[in-house]
Amino acid sequence: MGVGRRMRKQGPPEPLSEEHFAKLKRKAGLPVDDIPAETPNKKKRKTAEPTSKANGAGAKKAAPKANGRSNGVKAAPAPKQNGKATKSKSKKPLPEPDSDEELSEGLGEGLSGSELDDDEFSDLDDDEVEGLGDDFLGSDDSVFDSDAEGQNERRAMFSEDEDESDAEEKLTAANIVGLSRKLDEEQAREEAEAQAELEEAALQTNIDRPHVLGDEEEDDLALKTKALLAPDLQLLRTRITDTIRVLDDFSNLAEEGRSRAEYTSQLLKDICAYYGYSEYLAEKLLNLFQAREAFAFFEANETARPVVIRTNTLRTHRRDLAQALINRGVTLEPVGKWSKVGLQIFESNVPLGATPEYLAGHYILQAASSFLPVMALGPQEGERVLDMAAAPGGKTTHMAAMMKNTGTIFANDPSKSRAKGLIGNIHRLGARNVIVCNYDAREFPRVIGGFDRVLLDAPCSGTGVIAKDPSVKTNKDEKDFMVLPHTQKQLLLAAIDSVNHASKTGGYLVYSTCSVTVEENEQVVQYALNKRPNVKLVSTELPFGKEGFTSYMGKKFDPSLRLTRRYYPHTYNVDGFFVAKFHKVGPTPANLVRDKPAKSTPASQTSEEEVVDKTPIATDEDVPGNSREEDGFGGFDDEEDKAYMERAKRSAMRRRGLDPKALEKPKTNGQAKPEKKSEGKAKNKKKT
């Protein structure tokens, strides 16, 4: 075994001095006078050290052999200086103690004679030991100089257990191809081993068939007992994951004699018990996805979506707003590359609804998915826009910011209480081009029409925002999914009729819901396409989102429904949403408008009705006069108007000093009216 790295680097330990041996002798009771004086040799050894260090060639050979002890070890020959070999002067051997016991007592309990002989350097070769001098402690080669190693012999600096073959091979132009090939082969071998492990694990998984279905032999009493007990959530979750694994690879993992419907039914029951859904809603949502994706959807509904704010560009810029909120201890970042005004909030030391920036109208708390309908609509400056369900005002103010407070926005909401919050947000955010109205949106073509663009964010079941409102899990039943789609269809047809197809810049309509069910989305859009052939679906131009369904549960939809976009909480980390964009290419045919039955009217009245009925759809020239009368636009309630006119006349007579009761008395002749007036003037003079 060669010399260890530690010895080559540091050299042998320094020799013990004569004074140290003298102390040991005194402790042992030996006479100190018997020790020969070695002062001249000691001095010569010290002066010889720089000489041996100066010549590096000799130290190279002497240092590796300096591993012995002073007991009977011969001194190594002195190194050569300037090409001549110099012999070191041998020292006289030290007197040995009288007995081994005295030596052991003098060296102490931890340094016995056997330990001196059998140490870590006792395994040196005999040839190396013979090369050392008789007096190793006094030799001139006691100190090893690491700088004196020869340049011809380079050894890798690794641990003692490693040999020279472990050293990295030096990269040169000659061996770079070989080293590259070696690395490629090693990488290919590792990939093959990893693939083999995966295949083995898959094989073991296929062999293990999970038992998730209950036994058919269980009686009714056992089933009732289980129903009364509280569910074991850990067991339910394990069974859900096992069932999903079986459904993913049904042919290999399913139990014999079991059908897919049985596993699906078991999965539905477990989801209802674990997440707290009604069986009707859970089945409806489960049919939208594959089993594994449905599990991800239900799991995502258990966690809240990130808090997002929208910068009001009418008052500030996003960079300035972000810096101001960061200074207040808010941790945020842009919501994504798809939005230039959104900021996602991670942590805030202050309430976001009470900061000075919020009160000044620099931002509004708004979900990221609510940006999408306005982005799809894309209102232009100077246009006439209608928001049919505007409260609480996030989308309305977003449109006002995109239009830079130009044009006109009609913000309608059927609820007066919600309209108050809408008005507050409009004032706080500084939107000056908004008109707030309170109508049932289904009446809007009769109220006013001819809009360049219309936004309909229809009321829905809220199955896309279950994380915000968990009550949706249980309070939605089959009746809700019949009433809501019917209302949405009526609103969508009214919105289509309110759009001006001849608009130079617009003619577009966006329909959106915060629901993920097909009954409220694709089926409503398909109904509108069937009832209004003058509209067609166009691209939403949104940068992300899943395509809408073209077939669902045996139902076939128009292929253009691929242009609609769906958003799910488990895919984009936003609320569930649906967006569809229509383009009105022509006037609505008269025979498709559902109004009151036609009435026969004279030609003069028809012409008058044509003049009055230009406002709802300004360019519907093809609509005949009788159909315009049918829609009821521009009509008056004569009885109500008569009461208003009489009240106005009385007020005018009082201001002129006349008696309002004179209107109630019958007229006898042409002079009766002036007499009454004069009497009224006389009474007025008496009062003054």
XYZ file of all heavy atoms in Angstrom, residues 211-263:
423
model
N -60.773 -3.497 -5.258
C -62.142 -3.941 -4.954
C -62.893 -2.737 -4.391
O -62.722 -2.353 -3.230
C -62.122 -5.083 -3.946
C -63.495 -5.561 -3.579
N -64.298 -6.264 -4.453
C -64.206 -5.421 -2.425
C -65.440 -6.538 -3.856
N -65.409 -6.046 -2.624
N -63.697 -2.085 -5.242
C -64.390 -0.862 -4.834
C -65.892 -1.053 -4.756
O -66.589 -0.250 -4.120
C -64.067 0.294 -5.812
C -62.612 0.670 -5.724
C -64.440 -0.065 -7.240
N -66.427 -2.060 -5.399
C -67.868 -2.290 -5.377
C -68.240 -3.172 -4.200
O -67.502 -4.076 -3.817
C -68.324 -2.953 -6.680
C -68.104 -2.129 -7.960
C -68.574 -2.914 -9.166
C -68.828 -0.797 -7.873
N -69.393 -2.886 -3.615
C -69.854 -3.662 -2.478
C -70.351 -5.034 -2.899
O -70.623 -5.304 -4.074
N -70.463 -5.917 -1.924
C -70.942 -7.267 -2.195
C -72.456 -7.247 -2.381
O -73.188 -6.533 -1.686
C -70.581 -8.199 -1.037
C -69.071 -8.326 -0.881
O -68.374 -8.200 -1.903
O -68.607 -8.536 0.262
N -72.918 -8.059 -3.321
C -74.344 -8.116 -3.581
C -75.102 -8.840 -2.482
O -76.319 -8.732 -2.376
C -74.588 -8.818 -4.918
C -73.981 -8.075 -6.100
C -74.206 -8.821 -7.398
O -74.764 -9.944 -7.335
O -73.835 -8.287 -8.458
N -74.405 -9.626 -1.660
C -75.075 -10.418 -0.638
C -75.502 -9.592 0.571
O -76.158 -10.099 1.478
C -74.162 -11.565 -0.165
C -73.943 -12.654 -1.207
C -72.944 -12.241 -2.258
O -72.285 -11.197 -2.066
O -72.825 -12.948 -3.272
N -75.070 -8.311 0.635
C -75.412 -7.499 1.799
C -76.926 -7.299 1.851
O -77.563 -6.939 0.857
C -74.692 -6.149 1.725
C -73.192 -6.265 1.917
C -72.547 -4.890 1.949
O -73.285 -3.910 1.786
O -71.333 -4.815 2.154
N -77.499 -7.495 3.034
C -78.940 -7.349 3.171
C -79.308 -5.881 3.373
O -78.463 -5.005 3.495
C -79.437 -8.200 4.341
C -78.683 -7.878 5.628
O -77.751 -7.055 5.557
O -79.010 -8.446 6.680
N -80.579 -5.621 3.407
C -81.075 -4.249 3.550
C -80.708 -3.659 4.901
O -80.456 -2.453 5.022
C -82.595 -4.232 3.374
C -83.001 -4.650 1.972
O -82.138 -4.549 1.069
O -84.166 -5.070 1.786
N -80.674 -4.475 5.941
C -80.352 -3.968 7.275
C -78.931 -3.435 7.320
O -78.668 -2.372 7.904
C -80.539 -5.082 8.311
C -80.255 -4.696 9.768
C -81.188 -3.568 10.196
C -80.399 -5.910 10.674
N -77.998 -4.147 6.701
C -76.614 -3.678 6.687
C -76.480 -2.376 5.905
O -75.737 -1.472 6.307
C -75.721 -4.756 6.078
N -77.225 -2.261 4.817
C -77.165 -1.026 4.031
C -77.739 0.151 4.814
O -77.196 1.261 4.779
C -77.918 -1.218 2.716
C -77.325 -2.240 1.736
C -78.217 -2.393 0.524
C -75.921 -1.811 1.312
N -78.836 -0.071 5.532
C -79.414 1.007 6.328
C -78.483 1.413 7.463
O -78.361 2.588 7.811
C -80.758 0.559 6.889
C -81.834 0.399 5.827
C -83.145 -0.054 6.451
C -84.221 -0.228 5.386
N -85.504 -0.688 5.979
N -77.799 0.433 8.040
C -76.863 0.743 9.120
C -75.708 1.594 8.607
O -75.282 2.560 9.254
C -76.329 -0.557 9.741
O -77.426 -1.363 10.164
C -75.428 -0.253 10.919
N -75.192 1.261 7.436
C -74.112 2.051 6.851
C -74.570 3.461 6.520
O -73.821 4.422 6.655
C -73.584 1.364 5.593
C -72.747 0.132 5.861
C -72.175 -0.414 4.562
C -71.297 -1.622 4.825
N -70.726 -2.162 3.562
N -75.803 3.602 6.092
C -76.315 4.923 5.735
C -76.432 5.828 6.953
O -76.294 7.053 6.847
C -77.669 4.786 5.047
N -76.706 5.245 8.117
C -76.837 6.052 9.327
C -75.488 6.488 9.883
O -75.405 7.500 10.579
C -77.600 5.255 10.394
C -79.074 4.944 10.074
C -79.660 4.057 11.154
C -79.877 6.236 9.945
N -74.444 5.740 9.598
C -73.131 6.079 10.133
C -72.506 7.234 9.361
O -72.801 7.452 8.179
C -72.211 4.853 10.069
C -72.637 3.645 10.911
C -71.682 2.486 10.660
C -72.668 4.005 12.391
N -71.646 7.991 10.035
C -70.929 9.085 9.371
C -69.925 8.500 8.387
O -69.266 7.493 8.676
C -70.207 9.943 10.408
N -69.801 9.100 7.211
C -68.884 8.537 6.203
C -67.426 8.718 6.608
O -67.053 9.729 7.204
C -69.211 9.342 4.938
C -69.764 10.631 5.444
C -70.478 10.309 6.715
N -66.635 7.721 6.292
C -65.192 7.799 6.507
C -64.578 8.507 5.290
O -64.503 7.939 4.193
C -64.616 6.398 6.661
C -63.143 6.424 7.050
O -62.553 7.526 7.071
O -62.577 5.353 7.320
N -64.155 9.768 5.482
C -63.705 10.567 4.351
C -62.453 9.989 3.707
O -62.306 10.015 2.479
C -63.449 12.011 4.809
C -64.675 12.776 5.327
C -64.301 14.187 5.721
C -65.780 12.791 4.287
N -61.548 9.459 4.522
C -60.331 8.877 3.956
C -60.660 7.655 3.111
O -60.107 7.458 2.025
C -59.364 8.511 5.081
C -58.002 8.040 4.600
C -57.246 9.126 3.863
O -57.383 10.311 4.186
N -56.456 8.757 2.869
N -61.580 6.850 3.597
C -61.993 5.679 2.835
C -62.701 6.080 1.544
O -62.489 5.477 0.481
C -62.906 4.807 3.699
C -63.480 3.550 3.030
C -62.357 2.608 2.607
C -64.456 2.852 3.969
N -63.524 7.126 1.620
C -64.231 7.597 0.432
C -63.258 8.095 -0.630
O -63.392 7.784 -1.818
C -65.213 8.709 0.804
C -66.531 8.287 1.442
C -67.331 9.507 1.850
C -67.333 7.426 0.491
N -62.275 8.875 -0.199
C -61.313 9.413 -1.168
C -60.501 8.284 -1.811
O -60.232 8.312 -3.021
C -60.387 10.422 -0.491
C -59.506 11.170 -1.477
C -58.684 12.246 -0.787
N -57.897 12.985 -1.751
C -58.310 14.044 -2.413
N -59.546 14.494 -2.225
N -57.535 14.664 -3.276
N -60.099 7.316 -1.013
C -59.363 6.180 -1.570
C -60.215 5.416 -2.568
O -59.744 5.015 -3.644
C -58.906 5.254 -0.429
O -58.126 6.002 0.512
C -58.078 4.109 -0.977
N -61.472 5.239 -2.244
C -62.353 4.506 -3.150
C -62.615 5.302 -4.431
O -62.744 4.724 -5.512
C -63.672 4.181 -2.445
C -64.527 3.183 -3.198
C -65.544 2.557 -2.286
N -66.429 3.556 -1.701
C -67.279 3.298 -0.703
N -67.329 2.090 -0.184
N -68.059 4.243 -0.227
N -62.691 6.631 -4.314
C -62.889 7.455 -5.511
C -61.696 7.321 -6.451
O -61.850 7.137 -7.665
C -63.124 8.930 -5.106
C -64.500 9.101 -4.465
C -62.997 9.852 -6.317
C -64.737 10.480 -3.882
N -60.489 7.406 -5.905
C -59.299 7.294 -6.750
C -59.176 5.902 -7.364
O -58.792 5.757 -8.532
C -58.046 7.616 -5.930
O -58.007 6.763 -4.766
C -58.056 9.061 -5.468
N -59.542 4.877 -6.589
C -59.494 3.518 -7.141
C -60.526 3.337 -8.251
O -60.241 2.697 -9.278
C -59.725 2.495 -6.033
C -58.559 2.408 -5.062
O -57.461 2.868 -5.431
O -58.741 1.910 -3.934
N -61.700 3.894 -8.072
C -62.735 3.782 -9.100
C -62.317 4.499 -10.376
O -62.535 3.993 -11.487
C -64.055 4.356 -8.582
O -64.389 3.738 -7.335
C -65.173 4.121 -9.573
N -61.711 5.657 -10.218
C -61.245 6.401 -11.395
C -60.161 5.606 -12.119
O -60.118 5.557 -13.356
C -60.735 7.786 -10.967
C -61.902 8.651 -10.477
C -60.001 8.477 -12.111
C -61.484 9.961 -9.861
N -59.291 4.958 -11.361
C -58.235 4.150 -11.981
C -58.825 2.969 -12.751
O -58.348 2.612 -13.831
C -57.271 3.656 -10.890
C -56.025 2.960 -11.419
C -54.926 2.988 -10.370
N -55.317 2.307 -9.161
C -55.116 1.007 -8.917
N -54.535 0.253 -9.832
N -55.470 0.479 -7.772
N -59.882 2.405 -12.209
C -60.532 1.292 -12.907
C -61.199 1.781 -14.186
O -61.097 1.154 -15.248
C -61.553 0.614 -11.978
C -62.388 -0.397 -12.757
C -60.849 -0.071 -10.825
N -61.864 2.940 -14.123
C -62.558 3.456 -15.303
C -61.580 3.877 -16.392
O -61.907 3.820 -17.580
C -63.450 4.641 -14.910
C -64.658 4.293 -14.030
C -65.381 5.550 -13.595
C -65.610 3.365 -14.766
N -60.372 4.301 -16.002
C -59.373 4.666 -17.002
C -58.872 3.446 -17.771
O -58.547 3.548 -18.954
C -58.191 5.375 -16.326
C -58.562 6.778 -15.877
O -59.587 7.293 -16.368
O -57.844 7.355 -15.042
N -58.785 2.299 -17.102
C -58.313 1.070 -17.754
C -59.287 -0.051 -17.409
O -58.961 -0.988 -16.678
C -56.887 0.753 -17.270
C -56.234 -0.344 -18.097
O -56.843 -0.766 -19.105
O -55.135 -0.792 -17.731
N -60.473 0.096 -17.939
C -61.561 -0.791 -17.517
C -61.326 -2.233 -17.931
O -61.637 -3.165 -17.196
C -62.881 -0.284 -18.099
C -64.082 -1.011 -17.595
C -64.612 -0.720 -16.350
C -64.694 -2.001 -18.351
C -65.715 -1.393 -15.868
C -65.794 -2.684 -17.885
C -66.310 -2.384 -16.631
N -60.768 -2.464 -19.101
C -60.611 -3.825 -19.605
C -59.651 -4.647 -18.759
O -59.800 -5.871 -18.656
C -60.121 -3.787 -21.054
O -58.882 -3.095 -21.135
N -58.668 -4.003 -18.134
C -57.664 -4.740 -17.371
C -57.932 -4.763 -15.870
O -57.541 -5.709 -15.186
C -56.273 -4.154 -17.619
C -55.833 -4.309 -19.062
O -56.143 -5.315 -19.703
N -55.116 -3.319 -19.574
N -58.574 -3.716 -15.348
C -58.704 -3.580 -13.896
C -60.093 -3.890 -13.373
O -60.271 -4.012 -12.161
C -58.311 -2.155 -13.471
C -56.877 -1.731 -13.757
C -56.631 -0.317 -13.253
C -55.884 -2.682 -13.108
N -61.079 -3.971 -14.237
C -62.442 -4.209 -13.761
C -62.597 -5.636 -13.256
O -61.955 -6.577 -13.752
C -63.437 -3.935 -14.881
N -63.431 -5.770 -12.254
C -63.726 -7.094 -11.730
C -64.610 -7.853 -12.716
O -65.383 -7.260 -13.481
C -64.432 -6.975 -10.379
C -63.603 -6.277 -9.320
C -64.352 -6.165 -8.010
O -65.345 -6.915 -7.837
O -63.964 -5.343 -7.171
N -64.506 -9.136 -12.680
C -65.278 -9.963 -13.599
C -66.767 -9.885 -13.246
O -67.157 -9.949 -12.084
C -64.805 -11.418 -13.524
C -63.385 -11.627 -14.012
C -62.979 -13.086 -13.966
O -63.841 -13.913 -13.578
O -61.825 -13.387 -14.316
N -67.555 -9.720 -14.287
C -68.996 -9.649 -14.092
C -69.502 -8.286 -13.705
O -70.705 -8.129 -13.436
N -68.633 -7.281 -13.667
C -69.038 -5.929 -13.310
C -69.042 -5.050 -14.560
O -68.149 -5.141 -15.400
C -68.084 -5.331 -12.278
C -68.036 -6.102 -10.968
C -69.309 -5.906 -10.166
N -69.200 -6.472 -8.830
C -70.093 -6.302 -7.874
N -71.190 -5.614 -8.131
N -69.924 -6.847 -6.685
N -70.040 -4.171 -14.658
C -70.155 -3.293 -15.816
C -69.628 -1.905 -15.475
O -69.454 -1.543 -14.300
C -71.615 -3.198 -16.262
O -72.404 -2.595 -15.252
N -69.405 -1.128 -16.512
C -68.936 0.252 -16.317
C -69.986 1.094 -15.597
O -69.657 1.994 -14.820
C -68.588 0.866 -17.669
C -68.070 2.286 -17.596
C -67.736 2.817 -18.959
N -66.547 2.175 -19.495
C -65.306 2.642 -19.299
N -65.105 3.734 -18.576
N -64.278 2.018 -19.821
N -71.250 0.827 -15.877
C -72.313 1.595 -15.224
C -72.289 1.411 -13.712
O -72.580 2.357 -12.959
C -73.673 1.175 -15.784
N -71.938 0.224 -13.249
C -71.865 -0.003 -11.802
C -70.754 0.822 -11.171
O -70.933 1.400 -10.091
C -71.640 -1.492 -11.537
C -72.832 -2.372 -11.887
C -72.550 -3.842 -11.648
O -71.481 -4.318 -12.090
O -73.387 -4.507 -11.010
N -69.610 0.874 -11.836
C -68.513 1.692 -11.306
C -68.868 3.180 -11.346
O -68.545 3.933 -10.415
C -67.236 1.434 -12.107
C -66.535 0.146 -11.752
C -66.749 -1.012 -12.486
C -65.664 0.080 -10.676
C -66.113 -2.203 -12.165
C -65.017 -1.097 -10.337
C -65.250 -2.242 -11.086
O -64.615 -3.415 -10.757
